[in-house]
Amino acid sequence: MFNRLHHPFDLESFSLVCKRFLALTNRLRRHLSLLDSTLLINGTISKLIHRFSHIISIDLSNFQGDLDLVVLDLANSVSSYTSNIEQLDISNQKQLPVTGLKELGRKLKAQSFPFLEEFDCSYSSTDLNPYPEHINPSDLAVTDSGIEVLSVNLRNLRRINVSRTELITDKSLVALSKNCLNLQGIDVVDCPLITSKGVHSILRSCTALSWISVSEIHFPRSRSGFERLASCRRALQTLNVTSSMISDEFLLLMAKSSLPLSRLSICWCINFTLSGISLLLCAYQSLKYLSLVQVDFLSDESMNDLSKYLQSLVTIDVSGCKRLTISTFFTLARNCPLLEAINMGSTDLGTKDSFHNGVKNPRIRSVNLRYNWYLDDGTLTKVALMCPNMEILDVSTCLSLTEAGIASVLEVCNQIRNLQFESCPLIKHIGEGAELPNVEVVSAATSAINDEGLALIGSRCSRLLKLNLTFCEGVTADGIQAMVTNCRSLRGIQLKMCPQLLDAN
């Protein structure tokens, strides 16, 4: 019965009934995320792991406190409780838990993980501070020597992410190509010492490679340079290229190579033209995901031409393409019948009017329109009419929007689950209307939302789970009280830097 519940938060109500139900719901939890040391039982993570015996992943990426003590405690309890743990995330931390990791590494050496399939050592920067005085930051950075040792001991590796590691070179990729022949995915974004030579070594040797993400790589005009990619890569399904020089010849050779591509991302790249990308998309009309971020030459007219190749597309990201307007949104909604997610952030929505001709795409669920400064209420209403089943909407930093635009969206799209209008200075509330039983997340940070707006959220969004009110100057304790009285399911609320609440304290 508990396994049929749709949302993890629903388990909490059952766990309050009796200890037997509590014990049952504890067994259903697979993931543990800790934000603060106050959440620990008697200061130890081992007791939490013992309580939730089926935990398979632990997320400490946003933990605030002494991370070293937590990892050390985990290391000391590893033999007793952690036989089922598959993932430990300690990313996003300014300082590595050196002592804890040494103890964990002593008990769980690389040789103890012969079946490890994924490894992520990205963001290994030597600039992270502060470190303890006796620690040299460069001693903690990932180098070629570390990758070489890892490749020898983890021959079953399927995916590795070494993005933003400053010290690794092509030697690391050569080592991986020799020792990890079953490698299926590699991310080498923002690695300044990696060149196309290292990338080609991976492509040539790892015949199962289906995912590769690279940046700042020069893809030469010479046919021989790309032919090594095209001729060796018959399994490649995902190609992400960022901040690189790409020629039309490269795109043409890629179009002729008949790769089984389903995901293509070309972001912040230069030197290619509309002709090159058109030939490429014509060859890969089965693409499910397409990202063309900040491609300056894309216009409404060119997107209309390209859309005839996008019949299978599920997700598209054309953010940063400054020449695109509401016409492109119409085109995508009309010509891409399988489309579910559109990202048109930082485009030119709102600067050009367009007649709404009744186009509707009921499959579109997610719409991201962030940083469209001229997006107005009328344009947003047209977007809502095209996407009646929209569940996620992000209009953050759309400076021309008012509450009328938000109200019109909620009137048309009653299945909204996640609504974000951060940094919208003209939005004070979400408008009056019928109850919105599906809304779970509202992010209104740095908006003009006030106590009246909170009262409307409380009356319309009774099943709200998360609310972000950071830097909302119009929010007072009275508004918070009015809202939480009706939102009994609320699990998280952010109230940082709300001046009237600070004054109340």
Side-chain angles (χ1 to χ4, degrees):
M1 180 179 68
F2 293 156
N3 278 323
R4 292 180 178 272
L5 295 176
H6 296 294
H7 202 288
F9 287 123
D10 294 333
L11 296 173
E12 297 182 6
S13 299
F14 285 94
S15 66
L16 295 174
V17 176
C18 66
K19 290 184 178 181
R20 176 59 176 162
F21 280 1
L22 176 61
L24 289 173
T25 56
N26 284 345
R27 297 178 189 175
L28 297 178
R29 297 190 182 275
R30 299 291 184 268
H31 308 281
L32 177 63
S33 179
L34 291 178
L35 304 178
D36 192 275
S37 57
T38 58
L39 299 175
L40 297 176
I41 302 175
N42 296 327
T44 65
I45 194 174
S46 58
K47 292 187 177 180
L48 278 178
I49 297 174
H50 180 61
R51 174 183 174 185
F52 304 114
S53 56
H54 290 176
I55 289 291
I56 62 174
S57 72
I58 299 176
D59 183 2
L60 301 173
S61 59
N62 294 309
F63 182 79
Q64 298 181 3
D66 194 333
L67 187 61
D68 229 333
L69 289 179
V70 174
V71 177
L72 186 60
D73 181 43
L74 177 63
N76 292 333
S77 61
V78 69
S79 59
S80 303
Y81 304 129
T82 59
S83 58
N84 295 325
I85 291 180
E86 300 176 359
Q87 178 178 344
L88 174 65
D89 188 346
I90 55 172
S91 60
N92 198 36
Q93 297 288 338
K94 292 183 178 180
Q95 180 175 316
L96 284 173
V98 179
T99 304
L101 286 176
K102 284 184 176 180
E103 182 63 19
L104 189 62
R106 187 180 67 82
K107 292 192 175 183
L108 300 177
K109 295 181 179 179
Q111 291 86 343
S112 301
F113 296 100
F115 302 109
L116 188 67
E117 295 185 352
E118 295 188 17
F119 184 78
D120 187 343
C121 60
S122 57
Y123 288 89
S124 175
S125 173
T126 58
D127 294 330
L128 295 180
N129 286 303
Y131 282 100
E133 293 182 359
H134 64 285
I135 297 294
N136 184 352
S138 61
D139 293 339
L140 301 177
V142 176
T143 66
D144 290 334
S145 298
I147 297 297
E148 289 176 5
V149 172
L150 178 141
S151 68
V152 171
N153 291 307
L154 302 178
R155 294 181 179 272
N156 290 312
L157 203 63
R158 295 292 187 272
R159 183 165 180 177
I160 184 170
N161 187 349
V162 293
S163 296
R164 297 171 180 84
T165 49
E166 301 173 352
L167 301 181
I168 69 167
T169 70
D170 290 340
K171 291 181 180 180
S172 291
L173 301 194
V174 171
L176 289 168
S177 67
K178 290 180 179 179
N179 300 316
C180 302
L181 299 181
N182 295 322
L183 201 64
Q184 296 177 1
I186 182 168
D187 295 81
V188 286
V189 176
D190 292 340
C191 297
L193 303 182
I194 295 292
T195 70
S196 58
K197 180 180 178 181
V199 174
H200 287 144
S201 67
I202 286 283
L203 295 169
R204 183 171 54 251
S205 302
C206 302
T207 58
L209 197 71
S210 63
W211 173 299
I212 183 168
S213 295
V214 297
S215 73
E216 300 181 22
I217 302 293
H218 174 53
F219 291 91
R221 291 180 178 273
S222 63
R223 179 175 295 270
S224 60
F226 179 78
E227 281 182 341
R228 280 181 285 181
L229 170 67
S231 61
C232 300
R233 279 290 41 83
R234 299 300 179 184
L236 195 64
Q237 298 178 20
T238 298
L239 176 62
N240 299 327
V241 184
T242 306
S243 304
S244 301
M245 295 179 63
I246 298 179
S247 66
D248 281 349
E249 184 177 6
F250 172 87
L251 298 178
L252 176 60
L253 290 171
M254 188 174 167
K256 293 180 178 180
S257 63
S258 300
L259 302 173
L261 278 183
S262 61
R263 296 174 60 91
L264 174 65
S265 179
I266 299 177
C267 304
W268 302 288
C269 295
I270 58 174
N271 278 16
F272 66 104
T273 69
L274 178 60
S275 176
I277 198 65
S278 181
L279 288 172
L280 184 64
L281 294 181
C282 180
Y284 294 101
Q285 298 188 34
S286 60
L287 281 177
K288 303 295 183 184
Y289 176 94
L290 176 63
S291 180
L292 297 173
V293 174
Q294 202 167 314
V295 179
D296 294 337
F297 58 75
L298 285 182
S299 64
D300 290 334
E301 293 74 18
S302 61
M303 285 302 300
N304 185 58
D305 294 335
L306 294 177
S307 66
K308 62 186 178 183
Y309 306 131
L310 307 178
Q311 297 293 305
S312 301
L313 207 62
V314 176
T315 301
I316 186 168
D317 182 355
V318 287
S319 57
C321 299
K322 299 294 187 180
R323 299 173 63 186
L324 302 185
T325 72
I326 188 66
S327 295
T328 290
F329 200 102
F330 285 156
T331 297
L332 294 172
R334 180 182 64 246
N335 297 344
C336 305
L338 303 182
L339 198 60
E340 296 181 3
I342 298 179
N343 185 347
M344 285 188 63
S346 298
T347 54
D348 214 13
L349 285 170
T351 60
K352 176 182 177 182
D353 194 17
S354 181
F355 175 71
H356 180 256
N357 55 5
V359 172
K360 289 186 179 181
N361 189 329
R363 293 183 66 94
I364 296 177
R365 296 290 192 272
S366 176
V367 176
N368 186 336
L369 306 177
R370 293 172 66 95
Y371 294 103
N372 278 284
W373 293 351
Y374 304 106
L375 177 66
D376 56 20
D377 296 337
T379 303
L380 184 60
T381 300
K382 293 175 182 178
V383 169
L385 291 172
M386 283 185 283
C387 313
N389 294 330
M390 183 164 49
E391 297 179 2
I392 301 173
L393 175 63
D394 189 346
V395 290
S396 299
T397 321
C398 292
L399 307 182
S400 301
L401 280 183
T402 73
E403 51 264 17
I406 297 297
S408 67
V409 170
L410 296 177
E411 183 178 355
V412 176
C413 308
N414 57 13
Q415 298 185 42
I416 287 284
R417 294 186 294 105
N418 187 320
L419 177 62
Q420 301 182 45
F421 51 91
E422 298 181 2
S423 300
C424 291
L426 303 181
I427 298 179
K428 298 180 180 180
H429 55 77
I430 62 173
E432 298 180 352
E435 185 178 357
L436 301 167
N438 297 311
V439 173
E440 296 181 346
V441 177
V442 173
S443 188
T446 324
S447 71
I449 196 165
N450 52 24
D451 288 348
E452 178 188 359
L454 291 179
L456 287 172
I457 289 176
S459 63
R460 301 188 67 187
C461 310
S462 59
R463 297 186 181 180
L464 188 68
L465 299 176
K466 296 181 180 180
L467 177 62
N468 186 353
L469 298 173
T470 304
F471 281 103
C472 288
E473 297 181 357
V475 170
T476 72
D478 292 337
I480 298 294
Q481 181 63 42
M483 186 269 301
V484 299
T485 300
N486 294 320
C487 298
R488 300 295 181 89
S489 299
L490 194 65
R491 292 295 182 271
I493 181 170
Q494 297 186 44
L495 299 171
K496 293 181 180 179
M497 305 307 293
C498 293
Q500 296 199 59
L501 292 178
L502 293 174
D503 293 341
N505 292 334

